[in-house]
Amino acid sequence: MHRLKAISVGLFTFVFMIGGNCSRTRVESLNRMNEGVVLASQKQYVQAAEKLQSATVIDPQNDQAFWNLAIVHMEMHKFERARDDLQRAIDVNPNVAGYHEKLGTVLMELSDWDGARQRFTRALELDDTLFKAHYKLGQVHERMDNPQEALREYTRAVETGPRFIEAYRALGRLYADLDYLAEAIQVLQSGLQVVIQGTEDEGHLHHLLGTVYQQQRNYDRAVEEFRAALRLVPTLREALFALGWTYSLQDNREEARRFLRQYVDNAGAEAPPHYLKAARDRLNLLGEP
């Protein structure tokens, strides 16, 4: 039996022969695949896709060639092609959890929520430690209006990936949306204990925590969290709006005007229109000079 050694380069995979016998077809396919991986790592995606497609034609049993081709097609935003590539990889080798997880990710891009749910579920049957699969399955359950299942998957994402901050954010936000405010605070504070200090991730956690305190009408704590978020991410427009709004709820008119005006001035074209309108209306009520 031939022996192969796989080395991951980012999401791409090189395969090297380290002993035993390989058919000439497999050797040629692997060589072509590795050439494609090199081109992909250089972001020459069109040429990479050609090499990888050739590798799959030479040896249709080379599941890693289909995997690499799928990654290239994802980089090119050709998600239908990536879906088909990953299905071919699974047809050849159905017991690789990563293939199912990546297919679920592609199906999310294609808004095939039930198909994505099935793929993530299968990936986790094969490897329950895939924290990003738990996280994405939680997103799918939210999209399918299954909040309790989403809570369960986000919780598993935190348990299996204790430094994966996006899971803390998603879990805390969903608890807050469901009015489980104490649970939301606990989750977000746990995230702050493990996040890398001084990063944007820390800033976003502070912002979310501030929104929960605001829901509790604990305005002093909300102000502290929004200010902490802005110290870390001064361009975080949502925190500018939330801070100005909270000051207005405290009847601190001067600070409310200052931060809501900053929000309006820095909102940009992508700002939600209803937020801009709310900020301008509140400034009018506050009697902006």
Side-chain angles (χ1 to χ4, degrees):
M1 188 71 179
H2 62 267
R3 296 171 61 217
L4 304 172
K5 182 178 182 180
I7 298 178
S8 293
V9 181
L11 291 174
F12 300 102
T13 304
F14 282 107
V15 175
F16 298 98
M17 294 161 288
I18 58 175
N21 296 316
C22 267
S23 70
R24 292 183 63 182
T25 298
R26 174 53 60 93
V27 171
E28 185 177 354
S29 177
L30 291 175
N31 286 338
R32 199 70 59 88
M33 183 190 80
N34 288 337
E35 290 171 7
V37 169
V38 170
L39 289 166
S41 69
Q42 298 168 349
K43 301 188 183 302
Q44 299 183 51
Y45 295 127
V46 173
Q47 298 91 327
E50 292 174 355
K51 290 287 186 181
L52 292 165
Q53 184 67 49
S54 176
T56 66
V57 171
I58 293 167
D59 184 0
Q61 297 302 303
N62 185 351
D63 53 295
Q64 290 176 320
F66 286 111
W67 160 266
N68 285 313
L69 183 57
I71 301 302
V72 169
H73 281 144
M74 290 177 71
E75 292 286 349
M76 299 170 75
H77 291 234
K78 295 183 176 181
F79 294 109
E80 293 87 355
R81 296 286 300 275
R83 175 196 60 201
D84 296 343
D85 299 330
L86 288 163
Q87 188 58 63
R88 291 289 302 276
I90 290 169
D91 290 343
V92 174
N93 191 350
N95 295 318
V96 179
Y99 293 173
H100 295 276
E101 189 273 338
K102 193 61 66 181
L103 180 54
T105 302
V106 169
L107 293 173
M108 287 178 72
E109 293 285 348
L110 296 172
S111 299
D112 181 354
W113 304 108
D114 191 57
R117 179 189 60 78
Q118 293 179 46
R119 289 301 103 205
F120 291 131
T121 299
R122 180 55 182 153
L124 291 166
E125 288 172 353
L126 292 167
D127 184 355
D128 188 58
T129 67
L130 293 176
F131 58 88
K132 289 187 179 179
H134 282 294
Y135 170 72
K136 291 174 185 177
L137 183 54
Q139 291 181 301
V140 169
H141 279 304
E142 270 204 86
R143 192 68 171 75
M144 298 178 73
D145 199 25
N146 297 319
Q148 294 302 320
E149 289 299 312
L151 286 175
R152 185 174 70 85
E153 293 303 329
Y154 290 146
T155 300
R156 284 295 294 146
V158 167
E159 291 170 347
T160 53
R163 292 190 175 276
F164 183 50
I165 300 304
E166 289 181 58
Y168 290 92
R169 290 170 58 183
L171 182 57
R173 175 193 47 75
L174 183 54
Y175 270 134
D177 288 347
L178 297 172
D179 208 31
Y180 300 141
L181 301 185
E183 290 83 354
I185 289 170
Q186 182 179 3
V187 167
L188 295 169
Q189 287 177 338
S190 296
L192 286 169
Q193 291 174 7
V194 299
V195 72
I196 298 174
Q197 300 298 302
T199 62
E200 288 195 11
D201 278 339
E202 184 187 2
H204 285 289
L205 284 172
H206 280 296
H207 171 244
L208 276 174
L209 187 53
T211 65
V212 180
Y213 283 130
Q214 189 192 75
Q215 283 182 256
Q216 283 189 326
R217 295 184 172 83
N218 188 344
Y219 299 136
D220 289 341
R221 292 295 300 274
V223 164
E224 290 176 12
E225 295 300 329
F226 293 140
R227 282 190 169 276
L230 288 167
R231 282 195 297 271
L232 292 162
V233 191
T235 59
L236 187 56
R237 291 187 296 269
E238 297 90 338
L240 280 173
F241 176 88
L243 182 56
W245 195 268
T246 305
Y247 275 129
S248 76
L249 295 173
Q250 292 181 308
D251 202 29
N252 187 335
R253 301 169 75 86
E254 181 179 351
E255 290 294 83
R257 285 194 295 263
R258 180 160 74 95
F259 285 101
L260 287 173
R261 173 46 56 192
Q262 284 186 44
Y263 172 76
V264 170
D265 289 345
N266 294 281
E270 67 274 17
H274 61 286
Y275 271 79
L276 270 173
K277 183 179 185 304
R280 287 173 176 145
D281 289 347
R282 185 55 60 101
L283 284 168
N284 288 332
L285 287 173
L286 292 167
E288 183 182 44

